Amino acid sequence: MPRDDDLDAREAVLARVESWRRRAPRLADDTITMAHGAGGRASQSLLEAVIRPAFSNPVLDQLEDGAVLDVGDGSRMAITTDAFVVTPRRFAGGSIGDLAVNGTINDLAAMGAEPVALTVSLVLEEGLDVDELRSIIDDLAQAAARAGVPVVTGDTKVVERGAADGCYVTTSGVGRVLPGTRLGIDRVQPADAVVLSGTIGDHGVSVMVARGELELMADVRSDTAPLHGLVGALLEAVPDTRWMRDPTRGGVASACNELAAGSGFGVEIDEQSVPVRGPVAGACELLGLDPLYIANEGKLIAVVPAEDADAAVRAMQGCEQGADACVIGTITDDHPGLVVARTDFGGTRIVDMLVGDPLPRIC
């Protein structure tokens, strides 16, 4: 049983979180910067101060990567939308076309939904090479075919030269929430396990290498992949899964901070347990970056009951995208609302929300 002082601490954190949510949002910047698109503090400030107030409603205010809607007869539908502006448009392991399909499918999957259909909208810049466009369209089509999710409608616009950096892609997706699925940050409890589906940072470093600006020779491929099969296996093995998120912009660190802030509990990560490929770790060390903040495009974080952690890991490892799945941390009553990492040296450090924009235009 939790101690009275533990309950008091959590209630105090929840009160601070609720007070923070109710306060009049402020945006300190006079102009939009690249940091506003990085998935960290600046993104959060832009959302809270400018975008959310205009559309506020009970569904939107949950601030998930998509929405779950009741459609009658006990059925629920998930819907999500995303825009992709990555530079360069092609990199080791994928392209803007793969990202557009897989990123939208993964947002649906993280809501416990089976993807049903996708839409695609293209903004093309005057002067874009038609062969490159054909290649992007082929990637979109092949990614959708591999995932078994059809593209059913879309739109195309062309803008003047210099107005769109070649090509922007926006995709939306609808999915059917699996029967019996109950996911929500309010279901997270102390002692729950935090499970990660595999290595982190592959996508962000792959894009960075493809830019050719840093003369890195790292052999890293993007992890872009659809995760609905892995999520289905996880939910079948652990129906009581509490919460899921695909840690894209802002990486695992930002996803865990959202988890801590939304639940009012602490999140404790064991750094030694977080899988990072050697070339990714080396590139981050050279550039002074923390892999926990680097973007991923084919990974999943899940919170499951502690007694189901082994079953969750086995279910993920049974899927191609989850071969390196493992438990990376726990939910705790300690340091409520904060993310803390246990370091290789036996100490601890606070893992805060991403500040700034270490890797612009990665998705």
Side-chain angles (χ1 to χ4, degrees):
M1 294 289 293
R3 302 188 308 270
D4 289 343
D5 54 346
D6 291 333
L7 294 174
D8 290 343
R10 180 169 184 259
E11 289 176 359
V13 169
L14 290 174
R16 290 199 299 271
V17 170
E18 185 62 24
S19 174
W20 177 83
R21 285 175 173 167
R22 290 177 179 274
R23 82 191 196 286
R26 296 182 301 170
L27 186 66
D29 306 282
D30 294 324
T31 60
I32 298 299
T33 70
M34 293 300 292
H36 289 113
R41 286 194 182 280
S43 297
Q44 192 174 57
S45 296
L46 178 65
L47 173 64
E48 291 289 347
V50 179
I51 300 171
R52 178 180 168 187
F55 305 108
S56 180
N57 62 70
V59 177
L60 178 71
D61 290 345
Q62 295 178 38
L63 297 181
E64 297 289 348
D65 285 340
V68 174
L69 306 173
D70 292 324
V71 293
D73 299 328
S75 299
R76 292 183 297 158
M77 177 184 71
I79 183 169
T80 188
T81 191
D82 209 344
F84 296 85
V85 296
V86 63
T87 300
R89 292 181 287 275
R90 186 167 298 281
F91 41 84
S95 73
I96 192 173
D98 300 288
L99 291 185
V101 169
N102 294 334
T104 298
I105 287 174
N106 293 347
D107 282 345
L108 291 172
M111 291 184 283
E114 178 184 12
V116 172
L118 299 170
T119 75
V120 174
S121 177
L122 303 172
V123 177
L124 310 177
E125 181 186 358
E126 178 187 18
L128 178 67
D129 187 89
V130 172
D131 285 340
E132 182 182 2
L133 174 60
R134 185 175 287 112
S135 176
I136 292 170
I137 296 298
D138 286 346
D139 290 341
L140 276 159
Q142 291 173 22
R146 284 193 297 269
V149 185
V151 174
V152 296
T153 189
D155 186 34
T156 301
K157 294 292 190 296
V158 177
V159 297
E160 295 83 359
R161 190 182 299 269
D165 197 16
C167 174
Y168 298 151
V169 182
T170 297
T171 44
S172 296
V174 293
R176 185 184 305 107
V177 178
L178 300 173
T181 300
R182 292 178 55 246
L183 298 172
I185 207 163
D186 58 321
R187 300 192 64 236
V188 174
Q189 300 177 20
D192 283 348
V194 181
V195 181
L196 177 66
S197 66
T199 57
I200 65 171
D202 299 317
H203 175 68
V205 172
S206 172
V207 172
M208 181 167 52
V209 171
R211 288 185 180 132
E213 300 171 353
L214 302 172
E215 298 184 0
L216 292 174
M217 301 300 293
D219 181 17
V220 181
R221 296 178 63 82
S222 171
D223 60 349
T224 177
L227 296 176
H228 56 305
L230 181 146
V231 167
L234 171 62
L235 292 177
E236 182 176 357
V238 185
D240 199 26
T241 296
R242 317 286 202 199
W243 176 89
M244 293 187 290
R245 181 63 55 88
D246 57 326
T248 52
R249 293 179 304 169
V252 168
S254 290
C256 285
N257 270 277
E258 293 172 4
L259 171 60
S263 68
F265 295 116
V267 177
E268 190 168 290
I269 299 172
D270 181 1
E271 280 191 333
Q272 288 184 304
S273 298
V274 179
V276 185
R277 299 188 194 280
V280 172
C284 288
E285 185 174 356
L286 283 172
L287 299 172
L289 299 174
D290 186 338
L292 289 173
Y293 293 93
I294 305 300
N296 312 276
E297 289 293 343
K299 296 299 183 295
L300 182 83
I301 296 177
V303 177
V304 302
E307 62 271 20
D308 293 327
D310 289 343
V313 169
R314 286 195 301 270
M316 287 184 173
Q317 289 177 344
C319 303
E320 179 182 357
Q321 293 85 7
D324 297 311
C326 59
V327 175
I328 64 166
T330 58
I331 305 299
T332 176
D333 276 320
D334 299 333
H335 49 80
L338 296 176
V339 181
V340 171
R342 297 193 302 272
T343 69
D344 297 348
F345 304 103
T348 59
R349 66 182 178 96
I350 292 177
V351 180
D352 204 352
M353 183 71 81
L354 174 68
V355 177
D357 185 22
L359 293 176
R361 305 289 290 275
I362 45 79
C363 64

